[in-house]
Amino acid sequence: MRKPLALPMLLPRILLSLLIALAGSAALSPASVGAAIPSPTPTAHDVTHPRIMQEAAQKEATAAPRTYAPVGAPAPRQAYGASGRLNREVFGFAYGSSLGDPSIGYPSWDFSLLSTVAYFGIHVSYDGGFIGDFSWSTWDDPNGPLPGLISLAHANGVKVVMTIILQDFDSQHGTPTMCSGLVNYQRTIAQTLNQVRAKPIDGINIDYEGLNGNCYDTITNQVESLQWMLVRFVRALRQALPSGQYLSIDTYSGSAGDRSGSTYYGFFDIGQLGTLVDSFFIMAYDMEYSNWDSPPLNCASFCLGPTSPLTTYLYNDTRAITEYAQVVAPSKVILGVPYYGRKECVTSGTPSTAPPNAFPISNTVAADGYLDASTENGYYTNSDYHSHRDANDPAGSERWDTWSSSALNCTREMYWDDVVSLGKKYDLVNSSGVRGIGIWTLSYGGGASELWNLIANRFGACRRPTLNASPAAPRPTGTIVTLTAGDADCASPQFAFWVRPRGGSWSLLRSYDPSPTVPWNTSGLPGGAYDLDVWVRQASSPNSSDAYALATYVLALCGSPSLSVSPAAPQPPGTSVTLSATAAGCSNPEFAFWVQPFGGAWSLLRGYGPTPTLTWNTAGLAAGTYALNVWVRAQGSPNTNDDYAVANFSLSSCSSATLAATPSPPQPPGTAVTVTASAAGCFKPEYALWVMPPGGSWSLVRGFGSSPTFSWITSGLAAGLYQLDAWVRESGSTSNADTIALTSYELG
């Protein structure tokens, strides 16, 4: 027989909070393309403009062959939080009652290490409406802390979601509040949507906690299960929320395993809910209430134990993650962790002799937030604590403490999560590949630096790696080159180094290691350019790499060449142009010069020789942009080239243009507008005119001709701001344009 789940595998969170509280569209603008051809900025509706196509072709034709992909193309990681600083989601609950508190509220949190904050929360009544309690007042107060939280969160790329709460564990009376609330779900959705529209929030978190049972549903006029009614509510909410809103739900740690096939016995149908929500927040705490009568404890009555054991106990974090990942995508699973512990006076023993899992003097076990548990300042005076003993539960990997309380005149025992036990939970999240962690609650930890550092250590992504090589290139083959990497974002980075000869294959220089440096012995390597690559990842990262950095190093007596051109472009065809090259560190360099007309093929101007200069005769060449290239190598080098340099040069007589229109704007549609272009420095200029209506695409009014004036017929055109664009080129030029002039004209 299936053993029923002990209720509710968590204390209702409202009661927990009470216990802890008691204890303590614009016009286009021209943009330069190449050396001389400006172009309107491309937009989605004008990508077929001839000049945009020309820009793409020119970039492809003149680009030096220096681009390459990262080693092995590591799979892209899911990035969370501020500028992708996190590898996993960090989802934290925020109490309305302490939201603005400077010591434990949002001013104390590190938003660079959060991805989602859930405001806890908005309570739902039996009639489906929101309850106007303190939490609602805080939420609805424009002068309260909520606007500041949202502003700071969004500035750091952190989502803010609203939690809607309905809890009912009245098993003796058929959970009447949950029945009625789910019957009136449409009112809840309507009021939820009002808040989504009213505030710049990013989604909804559902905290509906109860037992499964049957209710008479006045919508279907028949008896329905609460489990089915909850799915109906979540489905309707998902459909009603605007696209892109984040929807999560809080569920019990044992809910995914409480099933037979696809049939779930408890309140949550994890399988169906998994098709509707973006994530599950597993409330993986207060498990001692379900573990005391099962191995390894087998207590005769309730006894203390880990509130969130990692393994071994009947209900534990590892089991919860495993069971959820079997029925929903791991990318939807968030492991909730407690920033609190539970403590009580025990019936026997002294601080040095009291056993773990002792019997409390009552079943009402007090709760203690992390800040109190970690500093033991939650009672009357510090002198209340003495004969203290700290240990680690070997089965559940959670800390437990015993001490003598003079204030209560008893031996006290407490189970809670410190950074050691939390770190093991975070390691479990990384090794299992689930979405991330959830924190109940952020105010229990406040600004405790050790908690934020732990998150950074386990989930912080390396985002900004650097890679440097010393000594500086170029260096001859045989040099011992030291590669040094770094990443200021990483708490515990690891580095892997790769190298390849230009055009060859990558090889691993050193696999992942915390050391940021590695020597590269270049003895026996051929001269030439080498690509260097460092992969970096957080020590606990599940990714093949969080990020990478690339560098180039030249092994040759000739390297880092430069290419200069005189006189400066643009110049008219027929000009004698002098190309001058240099190469660093060469004792006997050789130079070869190449030229490529726009849209054409490379041709050799002069083969390898020791002279670093060349006179390029441009007589008879068409106007346009030319790519110039010098190859350099050391005499005797086996390479086609040791390195190279590229420059562009424009042959054009038309150096600038202007564009004017009469009569002066604005004018009503139907006005005959005369557009006049002029060009400086041209021998025989040709002109073409383009027009773009507001929000439209470029169209050709008149193709190239010798007349600089155009008659623009505006009859039938809509009012608005039009863009006028004149292309100018030398007669006989093969360029689309040597230069352009751009102006605007308003019809209206």
Side-chain angles (χ1 to χ4, degrees):
M1 176 179 292
R2 179 184 58 86
K3 180 179 178 181
L5 296 182
L7 170 68
M9 285 194 295
L10 76 165
L11 197 64
R13 293 196 291 195
I14 294 176
L15 177 58
L16 173 62
S17 64
L18 177 60
L19 289 172
I20 293 185
L22 293 175
S25 151
L28 297 178
S29 60
S32 176
V33 178
I37 307 175
S39 165
T41 302
T43 66
H45 59 263
D46 70 349
V47 293
T48 58
H49 188 298
R51 193 143 31 85
I52 303 304
M53 299 176 71
Q54 175 195 13
E55 175 189 6
Q58 180 170 347
K59 286 183 176 179
E60 181 178 357
T62 61
R66 286 185 177 271
T67 58
Y68 38 87
V71 180
R77 66 180 181 87
Q78 174 67 57
Y80 296 94
S83 301
R85 183 176 181 184
L86 297 169
N87 281 318
R88 304 215 175 272
E89 180 163 10
V90 177
F91 186 116
F93 280 94
Y95 273 136
S97 59
S98 58
L99 190 63
D101 190 304
S103 60
I104 62 173
Y106 84 84
S108 69
W109 307 337
D110 187 342
F111 278 84
S112 72
L113 295 170
L114 287 169
S115 50
T116 308
V117 173
Y119 177 87
F120 195 88
I122 306 302
H123 294 92
V124 178
S125 175
Y126 71 93
D127 62 1
F130 290 167
I131 299 174
D133 56 9
F134 178 83
S135 290
W136 169 259
S137 299
T138 302
W139 173 265
D140 202 43
D141 185 357
N143 300 312
L146 183 68
L149 164 68
I150 295 176
S151 176
L152 183 57
H154 285 176
N156 283 275
V158 178
K159 295 183 178 69
V160 177
V161 301
M162 178 182 78
T163 300
I164 53 176
I165 308 164
L166 182 58
Q167 299 179 340
D168 187 1
F169 298 102
D170 189 359
S171 58
Q172 293 181 346
H173 301 91
T175 58
T177 303
M178 187 65 70
C179 286
S180 180
L182 288 175
V183 166
N184 293 292
Y185 74 92
Q186 292 174 334
R187 184 181 184 193
T188 306
I189 291 177
Q191 294 197 7
T192 299
L193 291 178
N194 286 340
Q195 295 309 304
V196 170
R197 299 185 187 104
K199 291 180 171 60
I201 59 175
D202 306 288
I204 300 298
N205 170 253
I206 303 170
D207 186 54
Y208 275 40
E209 300 180 35
L211 303 173
N212 195 19
N214 295 322
C215 299
Y216 183 77
D217 187 355
T218 57
I219 298 176
T220 63
N221 290 321
Q222 62 185 24
V223 175
E224 306 285 5
S225 73
L226 280 169
Q227 182 192 95
W228 179 87
M229 294 171 71
L230 177 64
V231 171
R232 177 180 64 182
F233 163 60
V234 177
R235 179 178 291 111
L237 179 59
R238 170 89 280 175
Q239 293 171 348
L241 285 174
S243 176
Q245 285 276 298
Y246 182 26
L247 182 61
S248 59
I249 188 168
D250 310 334
T251 54
Y252 308 145
S253 62
S255 294
D258 190 23
R259 65 187 175 95
S260 176
S262 61
T263 300
Y264 291 82
Y265 299 110
F267 182 54
F268 298 103
D269 186 328
I270 301 300
Q272 291 201 59
L273 291 172
T275 66
L276 304 173
V277 300
D278 296 302
S279 69
F280 291 89
F281 181 101
I282 307 175
M283 296 181 284
Y285 32 74
D286 280 3
M287 296 184 194
E288 66 268 39
Y289 290 99
S290 299
N291 285 335
W292 61 268
D293 60 346
S294 300
L297 298 180
N298 296 313
C299 293
S301 61
F302 177 76
C303 57
L304 295 174
T307 193
S308 180
L310 184 71
T311 59
T312 309
Y313 291 81
L314 178 62
Y315 296 107
N316 59 72
D317 298 329
T318 304
R319 174 183 172 180
I321 283 182
T322 301
E323 290 178 346
Y324 271 83
Q326 289 173 348
V327 292
V328 298
S331 61
K332 292 193 174 188
V333 176
I334 295 174
L335 180 68
V337 300
Y339 268 16
Y340 68 89
R342 291 204 174 277
K343 62 189 176 186
E344 190 51 83
C345 292
V346 296
T347 57
S348 63
T350 65
S352 60
T353 64
N357 314 118
F359 293 98
I361 60 174
S362 73
N363 288 336
T364 303
V365 181
D368 217 12
Y370 174 86
L371 293 175
D372 284 344
S374 61
T375 59
E376 299 178 351
N377 62 1
Y379 290 90
Y380 303 106
T381 65
N382 286 336
S383 62
D384 184 44
Y385 293 89
H386 52 86
S387 303
H388 200 274
R389 179 177 61 156
D390 304 337
N392 186 273
D393 179 76
S397 297
E398 193 170 70
R399 177 169 163 174
W400 63 279
D401 302 349
T402 55
W403 67 93
S404 177
S405 171
S406 59
L408 297 177
N409 193 27
C410 70
T411 296
R412 196 134 187 164
E413 185 169 291
M414 174 172 65
Y415 281 84
W416 63 293
D417 276 289
D418 60 3
V419 292
V420 174
S421 59
L422 286 170
K424 293 181 179 181
K425 292 174 170 58
Y426 297 173
D427 290 340
L428 172 64
V429 166
N430 277 326
S431 64
S432 61
V434 297
R435 186 182 186 97
I437 62 163
I439 298 168
W440 180 260
T441 69
L442 291 168
S443 61
Y444 297 162
S449 60
E450 66 272 21
L451 295 178
W452 296 109
N453 290 339
L454 182 64
I455 292 174
N457 180 272
R458 293 304 199 272
F459 305 123
C462 304
R463 299 176 299 161
R464 295 180 293 176
T466 58
L467 178 60
N468 296 296
S470 180
R475 293 289 169 171
T477 295
T479 301
I480 303 297
V481 181
T482 299
L483 308 185
T484 302
D487 195 308
D489 286 331
C490 283
S492 300
Q494 293 181 333
F495 305 92
F497 294 87
W498 300 76
V499 64
R500 73 170 178 184
R502 180 65 52 79
S505 300
W506 290 99
S507 60
L508 184 63
L509 190 60
R510 194 200 71 195
S511 59
Y512 275 114
D513 187 271
S515 173
T517 63
V518 65
W520 174 36
N521 188 344
T522 67
S523 298
L525 296 180
Y530 286 76
D531 298 325
L532 307 174
D533 187 8
V534 62
W535 287 11
V536 60
R537 69 181 182 188
Q538 194 72 261
S540 57
S541 173
N543 302 315
S544 56
S545 75
D546 289 349
Y548 61 88
L550 298 164
T552 299
Y553 201 91
V554 175
L555 289 178
L557 295 177
C558 293
S560 303
S562 66
L563 179 62
S564 61
V565 186
S566 178
Q571 295 293 331
T575 302
S576 291
V577 179
T578 300
L579 311 184
S580 300
T582 63
C586 282
S587 56
N588 294 295
E590 295 181 327
F591 304 89
F593 295 88
W594 299 77
V595 66
Q596 179 195 48
F598 172 70
W602 289 98
S603 60
L604 185 65
L605 286 175
R606 193 197 74 196
Y608 274 114
T611 304
T613 60
L614 171 77
T615 299
W616 175 37
N617 187 352
T618 66
L621 297 182
T625 300
Y626 289 77
L628 303 171
N629 186 201
V630 62
W631 288 6
V632 61
R633 69 182 181 188
Q635 288 185 12
S637 171
N639 301 315
T640 302
N641 63 72
D642 292 346
D643 208 346
Y644 59 86
V646 178
N648 288 333
F649 196 91
S650 179
L651 293 176
S652 172
S653 298
C654 300
S655 58
S656 64
T658 60
L659 188 63
T662 57
S664 299
Q667 296 293 332
T671 302
V673 179
T674 299
V675 183
T676 303
S678 64
C682 293
F683 298 122
K684 296 177 63 179
E686 294 180 333
Y687 307 88
L689 181 67
W690 296 78
V691 175
M692 184 175 70
S697 303
W698 290 100
S699 61
L700 185 64
V701 174
R702 195 199 76 190
F704 278 109
S706 59
S707 174
T709 62
F710 310 87
S711 180
W712 179 33
I713 307 302
T714 66
S715 299
L717 297 183
L721 188 66
Y722 287 73
Q723 301 296 322
L724 306 177
D725 187 10
W727 289 13
V728 184
R729 69 182 182 188
E730 188 71 56
S731 179
S733 173
T734 59
S735 298
N736 282 351
D738 294 343
T739 187
I740 68 166
L742 187 70
T743 191
S744 59
Y745 198 95
E746 185 175 2
L747 295 178

